[in-house]
Amino acid sequence: MRFGLTVLLLGSCFCAFAQDKVVDGIVFDKGTNGRIAEVNIFNTGTGKSVYNNLKAEYQIAANIGDILIFTKQNYFSDTIKIENYKSLAVYLKRSAIQLQEVKVNSVVINPEQKLAATKRDYTKIYGVLADKDILSVSPGSGAGISIDALYNMFSREGRNAEHLRQTIQSDYYQDVIDYRFNRELVERITGLKNPQLTEFMQRYRPGYYFVVAASEYDFIASIKANYRRYLRRPKAYALPVLQPAK
């Protein structure tokens, strides 16, 4: 009887020990090899998820055979099966066009300044490749057909330029949101710290048109109202459970 009880207790200890195993590592951008922060790591075996820190480092409880799914906006997800407890370096590939980095030393630039700098870096797609006016009017020669506009409509280079302009404009909208709906402001209003702060900001991220139209009072009131919703139902609007790729 005592022998059986001892074996049972030892087995329980081993199980508890096995469940306490932790997998760690760093997440990188596959194109630039730079570190990526705020990546969600979901363990399909335990149903638990964590975000990596600002240094791109992560730790998550996992057992051998568990499957981890790494996800981040504007990146393709990656799925990894745990085979040992060595540190894992994960490389995510961007799903959107990566724009040239705008560097301004020791100066915090607003979205309008960043957009203007980006346009200076891409002068061609905002110059001749931006012409869409089919009819051109020249003094003394009347109206005619714009060759540049026709080229931009039907050529691959013209279509790629249009796609890049749309991507730059979309990134500008997101920069406007980030500039006003920033971590310092939200943390000061809600008192939240990571990982709850990141989760709250992703769940209640406002839209572009609300950000540019709302007064300061309405904007802060919206954050406070969403914070009360978050406290009442912390699991509401949570992302659905991701399934491993087959």
Side-chain angles (χ1 to χ4, degrees), residues 152-183:
N152 294 340
M153 289 178 60
F154 298 107
S155 71
R156 176 178 295 180
E157 186 179 14
R159 292 195 301 271
N160 288 341
E162 174 63 21
H163 179 60
L164 183 53
R165 283 193 298 271
Q166 292 175 358
T167 300
I168 292 173
Q169 189 66 27
S170 177
D171 286 350
Y172 165 71
Y173 290 154
Q174 297 305 314
D175 287 339
V176 171
I177 297 173
D178 291 336
Y179 189 76
R180 193 172 188 188
F181 189 66
N182 58 76
R183 300 181 71 85

Side-chain angles (χ1 to χ4, degrees), residues 91-228:
Y91 292 83
L92 298 183
K93 182 180 180 181
R94 292 186 67 93
S95 59
I97 297 175
Q98 186 173 7
L99 303 181
Q100 295 177 358
E101 183 180 4
V102 178
K103 293 184 178 179
V104 181
N105 295 330
S106 303
V107 177
V108 177
I109 62 175
N110 62 38
E112 287 74 21
Q113 293 170 326
K114 183 177 179 180
L115 178 62
T118 301
K119 287 183 177 182
R120 288 195 298 271
D121 289 337
Y122 290 89
T123 53
K124 188 175 182 180
I125 69 167
Y126 286 99
V128 294
L129 291 178
D131 184 8
K132 295 182 179 179
D133 192 356
I134 299 296
L135 293 178
S136 63
V137 179
S138 300
S141 60
I145 302 296
S146 171
I147 301 300
D148 287 338
L150 290 174
Y151 176 81
N152 294 340
M153 289 178 60
F154 298 107
S155 71
R156 176 178 295 180
E157 186 179 14
R159 292 195 301 271
N160 288 341
E162 174 63 21
H163 179 60
L164 183 53
R165 283 193 298 271
Q166 292 175 358
T167 300
I168 292 173
Q169 189 66 27
S170 177
D171 286 350
Y172 165 71
Y173 290 154
Q174 297 305 314
D175 287 339
V176 171
I177 297 173
D178 291 336
Y179 189 76
R180 193 172 188 188
F181 189 66
N182 58 76
R183 300 181 71 85
E184 291 76 13
L185 173 67
V186 177
E187 181 178 352
R188 186 172 72 247
I189 294 173
T190 65
L192 291 172
K193 304 291 184 182
N194 270 337
Q196 288 79 16
L197 177 61
T198 298
E199 181 184 48
F200 173 83
M201 292 187 67
Q202 290 182 338
R203 188 178 303 177
Y204 295 101
R205 182 177 177 83
Y208 168 77
Y209 293 104
F210 174 75
V211 167
V212 298
S215 66
E216 189 68 16
Y217 175 84
D218 290 337
F219 192 73
I220 293 176
S222 173
I223 295 175
K224 290 181 177 179
N226 286 332
Y227 177 57
R228 290 193 293 270

Side-chain angles (χ1 to χ4, degrees), residues 35-47:
R35 298 192 178 201
I36 310 173
E38 298 182 1
V39 176
N40 181 264
I41 302 98
F42 175 72
N43 186 335
T44 62
T46 64

